[in-house]
Amino acid sequence: MRASFAAVSTLALALAAASPAAAQSAAKVQSGMLVCKVAPSIAFVIGSMREMACEFRNTAVQPYVVKSRYKGTIARFGIDIGVLASDTIAWAVFAPTANPVPSDIAGSYVGVSADAAWTIGGGANVLLGGSNNQIALQTISLEGMIGASIAAGVADLTLTLLPN
């Protein structure tokens, strides 16, 4: 278990370190934050699926402005074993412009994901997609998790824009 935790942690750090370079090479600017409240889950060996409620916010810490809201589903395919309480994931949103249209953020994303928890834990997710595949979501801080879990694999996120 300790070796698995080390492997997942190393993968998460590598993802977090590599993603800023990818975002910069595509000439994208950070246009805000996507903050999602994720439902609890029980994961089996080959994957998991979790529902979430998300807000696209400006980059200010406090007070922030909610620009749009989304409902979403995140699925992971790969090694995924454990039980997690509800948690929060925050991504920096990189887009071609500083003020993307809310519908541009809606859509499907795919990328890599890794996390581990024993009572508390963290993880990293780097996803690309959205409208016309022009949006990049990069975890800027570790995902806060409570539970017992180890996971690494391909992540698939679908966001649907909610009316104001």
Side-chain angles (χ1 to χ4, degrees), residues 15-16 19-20 33 89-92 94 112 123-127 137-143:
L15 292 173
S19 56
M33 298 288 300
I89 302 174
W91 284 284
F94 290 90
V112 291
N125 304 277
V126 179
L127 305 172
L137 302 178
Q138 172 194 333
T139 304
I140 62 162
S141 62
L142 290 180
E143 175 184 340

Side-chain angles (χ1 to χ4, degrees), residues 12-161:
L13 291 173
L15 292 173
S19 56
Q24 290 171 358
S25 67
K28 296 184 186 319
V29 296
Q30 184 176 350
S31 56
M33 298 288 300
L34 184 67
V35 179
C36 300
K37 302 282 185 192
V38 187
S41 75
I42 297 175
F44 301 102
V45 176
I46 44 179
S48 65
M49 183 173 291
R50 298 174 78 185
E51 299 294 320
M52 55 186 168
C54 303
E55 294 179 339
F56 177 57
R57 305 173 178 174
N58 63 354
T59 57
V61 176
Q62 286 293 335
Y64 58 82
V65 175
V66 175
K67 296 181 177 183
S68 52
R69 289 183 168 81
Y70 304 85
K71 73 174 186 173
T73 303
I74 189 163
R76 185 178 1 240
F77 308 98
I79 297 170
D80 198 345
I81 303 170
V83 177
L84 293 172
S86 59
D87 61 4
T88 301
I89 302 174
W91 284 284
V93 177
F94 290 90
T97 68
N99 294 307
V101 177
S103 61
D104 286 347
I105 296 168
S108 296
Y109 294 80
V110 68
V112 291
S113 175
D115 57 60
W118 184 255
T119 308
I120 59 171
N125 304 277
V126 179
L127 305 172
L128 299 173
S131 175
N132 299 319
N133 292 324
Q134 61 183 351
I135 308 294
L137 302 178
Q138 172 194 333
T139 304
I140 62 162
S141 62
L142 290 180
E143 175 184 340
M145 302 179 311
I146 298 175
S149 174
I150 185 164
V154 174
D156 178 55
L157 169 66
T158 302
L159 292 175
T160 303
L161 180 64

Side-chain angles (χ1 to χ4, degrees), residues 6-20:
V8 171
S9 298
T10 302
L11 179 59
L13 291 173
L15 292 173
S19 56

